[in-house]
Amino acid sequence: MANPRFSIIVPVYNRPDEVADLVRSLTEQTSKDFELILVEDGSTVPCEAAAESGRKAGLDIKYFHKENEGRSIARNYGLERASGDYFIFFDSDCVIPPDYFSTLTRELDAHPLDCFGGPDAAHDSFTTTQKAINYSMTSFLTTGGIRGGKIQLEKFVPRTFNMGFSRQVYERVGGFREMFSEDIDMSTRIRLAGFSIGLIHNCPVWHKRRIDMRKFLRQVYVFGMSRITLKLLYPDSLKAVHLLPAVFLVGSILLILAAIFISPWFLLPLALYFIAIFIGALIATKNPAIAIRAVPAAAIQLGGYGAGFIKAWFTKILLRRGRDINEEILLRKGK
């Protein structure tokens, strides 16, 4: 039997219901030239039943259960056991449109790429909060288009919710590092090695993201902190767009203080911005409930990211404390 063209690698930690949805979407693909490698990273609630269901539906599935060591190590574990020409990475909370692999095959045949990624979107079945968070994460008004697959303020960087690269890339660059924003680090290393990277617009995934605002806050806070780690490893990687959440947070605090002690009119810029968020979300989703929730989602996203960024900048750059061992080793080596 010939090796599949694509090896899908998914790290899993206590997400059996999500994996069941992911596997179900893969059984509905119009092209099935792939294998699925599920790496259970020390889960106490395994997804083996979802893997077995996929096998019965005709999917080529490799299921592994290992001790908990982190998602990057889990992905590398899958890479070592993959047989495809390309390695595809999805998060366990993704659902894949039925024409994903037929479209990907056609695009790669017409325009070969060493590394690629696609946008993420919200499926009709997602909750109102998930759709609001998805809008916030992909809107030009909040992220500058970095994640939405549209106009962007920096070079496209594939992320592991929807990312792939060739076996040749893996053989030269190696696997993922165990760190926050490991996918951005991987994409940077691939670019520095001289490989081609591109966005395939018509290969989106439906990404469930966080199901409540509290978890979303924690997620974006970590994103903000990891941006400083990436700046330490790659000094040129920090762009103006990455500073905007911190500027937003500090500016919002100053405007609120000015409104309290000087005049309420200082709240006008914030009010206009959030009105723009509401209108943008309403136009994009045509759903007032989603548009209303997009406003706090945007505030949480920008405020949480900005807080994480400022804290990491203060501790890791200004005070030079809190750097992990991977950062120190790489900095000493000048990598």
Side-chain angles (χ1 to χ4, degrees):
M1 182 176 178
N3 289 337
R5 185 171 189 182
F6 303 106
S7 292
I8 307 168
I9 299 169
V10 181
V12 183
Y13 183 74
N14 290 340
R15 302 289 182 93
D17 294 338
E18 290 181 352
V19 173
D21 289 341
L22 170 62
V23 170
R24 191 177 304 111
S25 71
L26 292 174
T27 66
E28 298 171 353
Q29 293 296 304
T30 55
S31 173
K32 294 188 175 68
D33 190 10
F34 59 79
E35 64 177 355
L36 172 61
I37 300 175
L38 295 171
V39 182
E40 199 92 67
D41 188 38
S43 298
T44 57
V45 185
C47 66
E48 191 169 8
E52 185 57 33
S53 175
R55 288 195 191 100
K56 290 179 180 178
L59 292 183
D60 179 6
I61 297 181
K62 298 176 181 176
Y63 173 81
F64 301 98
H65 195 292
K66 57 181 288 300
E67 63 178 320
N68 179 251
E69 296 178 284
R71 60 194 177 195
S72 289
I73 295 175
R75 289 191 186 104
N76 294 340
Y77 188 95
L79 279 165
E80 293 167 359
R81 290 154 178 80
S83 56
D85 297 322
Y86 289 92
F87 307 119
I88 309 295
F89 300 92
F90 298 136
D91 285 346
S92 61
D93 59 352
C94 288
V95 177
I96 316 304
D99 60 349
Y100 181 95
F101 282 96
S102 57
T103 302
L104 179 60
T105 298
R106 184 175 66 251
E107 292 291 331
L108 289 178
D109 287 343
H111 308 287
L113 287 167
D114 301 308
C115 176
F116 47 86
D120 54 348
H123 190 267
D124 289 342
S125 65
F126 290 3
T127 67
T128 300
T129 298
Q130 286 174 320
K131 291 176 181 177
I133 290 174
N134 182 80
Y135 173 79
S136 179
M137 289 291 283
T138 57
S139 170
F140 182 81
L141 291 172
T142 54
T143 66
I146 291 174
R147 300 178 68 97
K150 299 176 183 177
I151 300 171
Q152 297 183 15
L153 299 183
E154 69 164 1
K155 290 181 179 179
F156 173 67
V157 178
R159 315 287 178 100
T160 46
F161 61 78
N162 186 4
M163 176 184 185
F165 52 76
S166 68
R167 179 173 291 275
Q168 288 75 17
V169 167
Y170 172 56
E171 290 172 350
R172 187 187 304 180
V173 177
F176 291 87
R177 291 176 178 143
E178 185 58 31
M179 57 182 286
F180 291 122
S181 293
E182 71 283 357
D183 45 5
I184 301 178
D185 170 72
M186 186 69 173
S187 295
T188 303
R189 288 157 52 206
I190 291 171
R191 192 183 301 278
L192 293 175
F195 289 105
S196 61
I197 299 178
L199 168 65
I200 302 179
H201 288 271
N202 52 351
C203 279
V205 299
W206 294 312
H207 198 182
K208 296 177 184 176
R209 301 190 183 281
R210 295 297 180 259
I211 60 174
D212 61 54
M213 295 296 183
R214 181 183 61 81
K215 293 179 180 178
F216 182 48
L217 173 61
R218 173 59 184 166
Q219 181 185 45
V220 293
Y221 180 81
V222 170
F223 286 169
M225 293 187 69
S226 67
R227 178 51 63 181
I228 296 300
T229 296
L230 292 165
K231 185 258 187 299
L232 290 171
L233 299 178
Y234 310 105
D236 295 335
S237 67
L238 189 65
K239 307 299 181 184
V241 66
H242 303 133
L243 304 176
L244 294 180
V247 172
F248 169 85
L249 178 60
V250 173
S252 297
I253 293 172
L254 292 176
L255 288 172
I256 291 171
L257 290 175
I260 294 172
F261 295 106
I262 301 175
S263 169
W265 284 103
F266 279 97
L267 292 177
L268 183 60
L270 279 177
L272 292 175
Y273 176 72
F274 287 121
I275 289 172
I277 292 289
F278 173 82
I279 293 173
L282 185 62
I283 293 172
T285 67
K286 299 178 176 59
N287 187 316
I290 296 173
I292 290 172
R293 295 194 188 191
V295 173
I300 288 171
Q301 178 185 335
L302 294 170
Y305 188 108
F309 183 98
I310 292 170
K311 178 183 178 181
W313 178 85
F314 184 77
T315 57
K316 292 189 175 187
I317 294 181
L318 193 62
L319 300 181
R320 300 179 63 84
R321 295 205 309 254
R323 294 178 178 176
D324 65 32
I325 187 65
N326 289 330
E327 290 170 10
E328 292 293 351
I329 291 172
L330 293 168
L331 288 169
R332 285 199 295 270
K333 289 182 177 180
K335 293 185 178 180

